[in-house]
Amino acid sequence: MPGIDTLPIEETLEDSPQTRSLLGVFEEDTASISSYFSQLFKAMQRIYDAQNELSAATHLTSKLLKDYEKQRFPLGGDDEVMSSTLQQFAKVIDELSSCHAVLSTQLADAMMFPITQFKERDLREIVILKEVFQIASDDHDAAINRYSRLSKRKENEKVKNEVMEDVYTSRKKHHETTMHYFASLNMLQYKKKIALLEPLLGYMQAQISFFKLGSENLTQQWEDFLTNIGTSVQNVRREMDSDAEAMDQTIQDLKEASDPLYMPDPDPNTVPVNRNLTRKAGYLNTRNKTGLVSSSWDRQYFFTQGGNLMSQSRGDVAGGLVMDIDNCSVMAVDCEDRRFCFQITSFDGKKAAILQAESRKDCEEWIATINNISKRIYLSENPEEIAARVNQSALEAVTPSPSFQQRHESFRPSTQGRPKTGRSGSQCSVGSESPALSSLSLDSLVASDTPIQFDIISPVSEEHASQAKSAGQGRTNPFGESGGPQSEESEDSILHQLFIVRFLGCMEVKATENADVIYETMRQILAARAIHNIFRMTESHLLVTCECLKLIDPQTQVTRLRFSLSSVVLCASHQENKRLFGFVLQTAGGRVDGRPVTVCYIFESNNDGEKICDSVGLAKQIALHSEMDRKASQKQRELNKAKEKQQEELHKQKQIEKDLEEQSRLIAASSRPTQTAADGQVLVLSNSQSEDSDVGEEGQKKGESEA
């Protein structure tokens, strides 16, 4: 390397202008070094940060590849080949992640540490020395000026000595500071080369080490593996291209074939009506009444399933039963100046649905399909098969979860040898008996021969009804719970939660130990609804407070039912269909066979049933804590009152003792005889003498009583 330019340290004491000029050149060079190394430090810091991010990203990629087999993709299925391949990739990438981590450590030690030391220590030292040098130079100039202004006429030895001492001190300090400053600037010429070369050397050595480590890990086996994977990827790409060409051709064919179907009302000559269909599906507009004379039309997807007409809205996971089309009547109608409308009426005439198709062809096909299904069911099948299929379809329609029936078939006991009751129809279902619960008796959960209440009704007399109408009272629950408007005791309640629910039914039960009784009640109520074609449900608002549960009419805001929170003994939601929930409560109607009457209520909600059960549980906990706090505060008040009363009695007793003592003292003083002296004067006893005499008299009386 060429020679290094240095500042002459031996000329620091003289401090000539030439030396100062040379110092300015070195200071300018120092500023350039500082600026350059700041940029270089930022660049190397970016390399180091990028390497750290690459190491972390590689490690995360390896972790995600290892967790691939734990993922459950709806359409992926269990691809063992892909899982094993990704596990091998995860192993290789994990090794690469370890190599990257080693590289990050080497970069931190060999590259970032030297340049950071140069930047934070050496350059900062130059800046500090420059400031100290400037201060020392200013102090030396000030001392020289004071020394130069000494007067030769009026010489003051004291002032002269002080000024000379000041010049001596400042010149010494300036000289030493200048020498250290010049030495640091000279050393900086060497340090800048070291600080520039050492980080680069460390960077290159770290990279070489990383590549050597990678070449040792990536053996020929991995190269063969990567070659095989590349071939597989090319095969998958060729298969994808082939499928893409097939799909493009299919799309083109469908576009050409579907062009006549784009018209909402195609020409019947172009697209003829098919009157031999036994299945039909498509979008229809259904008419819903919103008032006495007003109505609204909703677009839904309708389809036929067996002997039922089903509908399904977008976003629903399953369809719901619209109507049983067994032996129904269907015909075209005119409705609200809308075209292509037809009406379906049930066989008993109690239920009718008005639907609107998109075209005349669609309308005629729907009418023909429903007629064909109704005729086929009526002529070709016996009544028992019809009832079994209708009941099963209706039960599936009420309960959208496909595993609901299978779930509750396990709770059905064997019904062989049991006499038929009035509710025997609710026990029929499709599926095998559960051997695990074959010993479970239905009578142990549900009371036998008890009716099922499907609606919130009030069997009150006309007198009571008229009074309720005049007073604005609500209905009365036949199970003993009052449904009239209650006092607003829950206005100050901590918990107020409102849920939209639909009442499915209730029935008397026996067991209240676990949630099986609620599941069995759900199964029987839904089965009975399906068998008897009862699909109308009463919608209410369920208000959960810390005092009670209320069912409120959403239109009139009248309380239909009110249950005390203490009477709720069990609450649970269905494990499969989360929208179903129920609770068991002990009514105030008395006892039957020595036990309280318990009734199980079943509801369907728009929300998750578990949330409602959690809300009820939270309300019971809050009520329990409030009751415990109330009892504790009442007990504390009683203890305080007893303590106050005890203090008062003690005070009275002390006062009585004090009064008795004072009274006995007065009596004793008044009963003492008057002693006279020989000269006829009265002799008055002192207090001590009188007390001694009193004690003596009391002792004498005590002795006489003992004798």
Side-chain angles (χ1 to χ4, degrees):
M1 287 188 180
I4 302 297
D5 296 329
T6 59
L7 286 169
I9 299 178
E10 59 275 5
E11 297 180 2
T12 53
L13 181 60
E14 184 180 357
D15 195 16
S16 62
Q18 291 80 6
T19 305
R20 284 295 182 109
S21 299
L22 187 58
L23 176 62
V25 175
F26 272 77
E27 288 179 347
E28 184 178 355
D29 182 70
T30 302
S32 301
I33 293 174
S34 177
S35 175
Y36 176 78
F37 272 88
S38 296
Q39 298 178 10
L40 183 62
F41 176 80
K42 291 180 180 179
M44 291 187 176
Q45 184 67 39
R46 291 180 62 182
I47 293 175
Y48 178 67
D49 294 340
Q51 180 59 40
N52 287 336
E53 292 180 2
L54 180 60
S55 177
T58 309
H59 179 70
L60 179 60
T61 303
S62 174
K63 183 177 180 300
L64 292 176
L65 292 179
K66 290 179 181 179
D67 296 340
Y68 176 82
E69 60 181 2
K70 300 178 183 178
Q71 299 294 327
R72 293 295 177 265
F73 299 100
L75 299 179
D78 295 333
D79 192 349
E80 296 181 358
V81 176
M82 179 63 73
S83 298
S84 61
T85 302
L86 292 182
Q87 289 300 319
Q88 293 180 1
F89 267 116
K91 184 178 180 181
V92 179
I93 295 177
D94 193 19
E95 294 178 358
L96 290 177
S97 175
S98 301
C99 296
H100 281 291
V102 173
L103 177 60
S104 298
T105 305
Q106 291 178 350
L107 290 179
D109 296 338
M111 182 182 72
M112 294 306 301
F113 181 75
I115 194 170
T116 303
Q117 286 290 98
F118 177 75
K119 181 175 180 292
E120 298 295 334
R121 185 185 63 185
D122 298 333
L123 292 179
R124 185 174 180 82
E125 180 184 1
I126 294 295
V127 173
I128 295 174
L129 286 176
K130 181 179 180 181
E131 294 177 356
V132 175
F133 167 75
Q134 190 65 38
I135 294 172
S137 179
D138 295 340
D139 292 343
H140 180 257
D141 293 341
I144 291 297
N145 289 333
R146 288 183 59 192
Y147 177 76
S148 300
R149 289 197 300 269
L150 287 176
S151 175
K152 64 179 180 179
R153 299 176 185 176
K154 300 178 181 180
E155 291 186 2
N156 190 340
E157 291 295 331
K158 183 178 180 180
V159 175
K160 180 180 178 182
N161 292 334
E162 289 179 358
V163 172
M164 292 178 66
E165 184 68 22
D166 190 13
V167 171
Y168 172 81
T169 304
S170 60
R171 181 170 292 174
K172 180 180 179 181
K173 180 180 179 181
H174 175 257
H175 184 218
E176 292 177 355
T177 304
T178 305
M179 287 190 295
H180 285 295
Y181 184 39
F182 279 22
S184 297
L185 289 176
N186 292 336
M187 291 299 102
L188 184 63
Q189 303 303 314
Y190 295 96
K191 290 180 180 180
K192 71 176 181 180
K193 295 182 179 181
I194 297 174
L196 183 60
L197 297 177
E198 192 173 5
L200 297 177
L201 179 62
Y203 173 74
M204 295 304 298
Q205 289 177 347
Q207 292 291 346
I208 292 172
S209 236
F210 172 72
F211 291 140
K212 287 183 179 180
L213 193 60
S215 64
E216 293 175 358
N217 292 331
L218 296 177
T219 60
Q220 184 64 32
Q221 180 182 358
W222 290 116
E223 292 182 2
D224 297 339
F225 167 71
L226 295 178
T227 303
N228 295 333
I229 295 301
T231 305
S232 300
V233 170
Q234 294 299 326
N235 294 334
V236 173
R237 186 177 296 277
R238 283 194 294 269
E239 185 178 354
M240 181 186 67
D241 295 338
S242 177
D243 289 347
E245 292 178 1
M247 282 189 291
D248 291 340
Q249 184 62 36
T250 302
I251 291 173
Q252 188 64 28
D253 296 341
L254 289 176
K255 287 170 64 176
E256 295 176 359
S258 303
D259 188 68
L261 302 178
Y262 294 153
M263 292 297 296
D265 188 12
D267 188 2
N269 298 326
T270 306
V271 184
V273 178
N274 188 355
R275 302 183 186 276
N276 299 322
L277 297 175
T278 57
R279 289 184 179 182
K280 181 68 175 175
Y283 280 97
L284 296 174
N285 294 327
T286 177
R287 181 173 177 263
N288 300 318
K289 287 187 177 181
T290 58
L292 295 177
V293 295
S294 60
S295 61
S296 63
W297 293 80
D298 296 332
R299 181 176 171 84
Q300 294 182 357
Y301 186 81
F302 286 81
F303 58 95
T304 59
Q305 182 177 3
N308 300 315
L309 179 64
M310 315 289 287
S311 69
Q312 183 176 357
S313 300
R314 289 181 178 176
D316 293 345
V317 296
L321 179 65
V322 177
M323 184 180 297
D324 176 17
I325 55 178
D326 178 17
N327 199 21
C328 69
S329 61
V330 58
M331 61 180 178
V333 295
D334 293 332
C335 182
E336 297 183 3
D337 196 22
R338 284 184 174 244
R339 302 183 303 166
F340 316 131
C341 294
F342 61 97
Q343 178 175 329
I344 307 173
T345 307
S346 60
F347 68 96
D348 55 1
K350 294 182 179 180
K351 192 172 184 180
I354 298 178
L355 306 172
Q356 181 190 16
E358 289 186 357
S359 62
R360 185 181 303 278
K361 169 185 173 297
D362 202 14
C363 178
E364 293 179 0
E365 286 185 349
W366 272 106
I367 294 174
T369 302
I370 294 174
N371 282 328
N372 294 337
I373 294 174
S374 177
K375 185 183 300 183
R376 177 177 61 83
I377 293 177
Y378 183 71
L379 294 178
S380 63
E381 298 184 2
N382 57 65
E384 295 181 357
E385 295 177 354
I386 295 173
R389 192 182 67 252
V390 170
N391 293 337
Q392 177 64 18
S393 300
L395 183 60
E396 293 176 356
V398 174
T399 309
S401 175
S403 59
F404 175 78
Q405 182 67 18
Q406 299 173 3
R407 169 68 179 170
H408 287 282
E409 282 302 319
S410 61
F411 292 102
R412 293 186 66 252
S414 176
T415 57
Q416 296 179 359
R418 289 181 51 85
K420 293 184 178 180
T421 62
R423 203 182 65 255
S424 61
S426 65
Q427 299 175 2
C428 68
S429 62
V430 179
S432 61
E433 304 291 341
S434 175
L437 295 174
S438 60
S439 62
L440 183 62
S441 175
L442 180 63
D443 292 335
S444 65
L445 297 177
V446 181
S448 61
D449 297 333
T450 182
I452 298 177
Q453 178 179 324
F454 294 111
D455 199 358
I456 304 175
I457 59 176
S458 176
V460 297
S461 62
E462 295 181 358
E463 180 181 357
H464 292 166
S466 61
Q467 292 177 0
K469 184 176 181 180
S470 61
Q473 297 179 351
R475 297 179 175 179
T476 303
N477 184 13
F479 293 99
E481 296 290 347
S482 174
Q486 304 292 331
S487 61
E488 299 297 331
E489 75 278 358
S490 62
E491 288 184 355
D492 298 333
S493 178
I494 301 176
L495 182 67
H496 279 83
Q497 289 188 343
L498 194 67
F499 303 96
I500 299 176
V501 298
R502 287 173 290 280
F503 180 71
L504 294 177
C506 64
M507 60 188 299
E508 184 180 348
V509 296
K510 288 184 178 180
T512 59
E513 289 80 8
N514 50 40
D516 292 341
V517 61
I518 296 180
Y519 300 152
E520 177 63 25
T521 306
M522 288 180 182
R523 190 190 68 80
Q524 293 201 24
I525 289 177
L526 291 177
R529 276 181 168 269
I531 289 173
H532 299 292
N533 294 326
I534 301 174
F535 301 110
R536 184 176 62 86
M537 294 179 288
T538 303
E539 185 172 292
S540 304
H541 289 172
L542 177 62
L543 178 63
V544 181
T545 65
C546 296
E547 290 82 14
C548 63
L549 305 179
K550 288 184 180 181
L551 283 178
I552 303 174
D553 191 331
Q555 296 182 354
T556 62
Q557 299 300 316
V558 175
T559 302
R560 291 172 172 169
L561 292 178
R562 180 183 182 276
F563 310 114
S564 175
L565 201 61
S566 59
S567 64
V568 179
V569 296
L570 189 62
C571 184
S573 63
H574 196 273
Q575 296 180 356
E576 299 293 338
N577 188 357
K578 297 299 184 181
R579 297 171 60 186
L580 294 179
F581 74 97
F583 53 83
V584 179
L585 59 92
Q586 294 180 352
T587 62
R591 292 176 174 267
V592 176
D593 298 332
R595 62 175 179 84
V597 178
T598 54
V599 181
C600 181
Y601 289 81
I602 305 300
F603 297 88
E604 181 185 23
S605 67
N606 294 338
N607 308 99
D608 193 349
E610 291 184 358
K611 295 182 180 179
I612 301 178
C613 295
D614 293 341
S615 178
V616 175
L618 178 61
K620 290 180 71 68
Q621 290 183 4
I622 295 175
L624 177 61
H625 288 296
S626 300
E627 182 67 18
M628 293 175 62
D629 294 341
R630 185 186 66 80
K631 289 183 179 179
S633 60
Q634 184 178 0
K635 186 176 180 180
Q636 185 65 29
R637 287 196 298 269
E638 292 177 356
L639 291 176
N640 293 336
K641 288 182 180 179
K643 190 175 180 180
E644 292 177 358
K645 188 175 181 181
Q646 184 179 2
Q647 293 289 341
E648 186 177 355
E649 292 292 337
L650 183 62
H651 180 71
K652 287 182 180 180
Q653 185 177 359
K654 289 182 179 180
Q655 186 67 30
I656 290 172
E657 291 177 356
K658 186 177 180 181
D659 294 341
L660 290 175
E661 183 181 357
E662 185 69 23
Q663 187 177 5
S664 63
R665 185 179 298 174
L666 292 175
I667 292 173
S670 62
S671 65
R672 283 198 301 270
T674 307
Q675 300 181 7
T676 58
D679 54 357
Q681 294 180 352
V682 178
L683 180 62
V684 180
L685 297 176
S686 63
N687 292 336
S688 61
Q689 292 176 348
S690 65
E691 291 178 359
D692 294 338
S693 63
D694 292 340
V695 172
E697 292 177 0
E698 290 179 0
Q700 185 178 0
K701 291 180 180 180
K702 185 176 181 181
E704 292 176 358
S705 63
E706 291 178 355

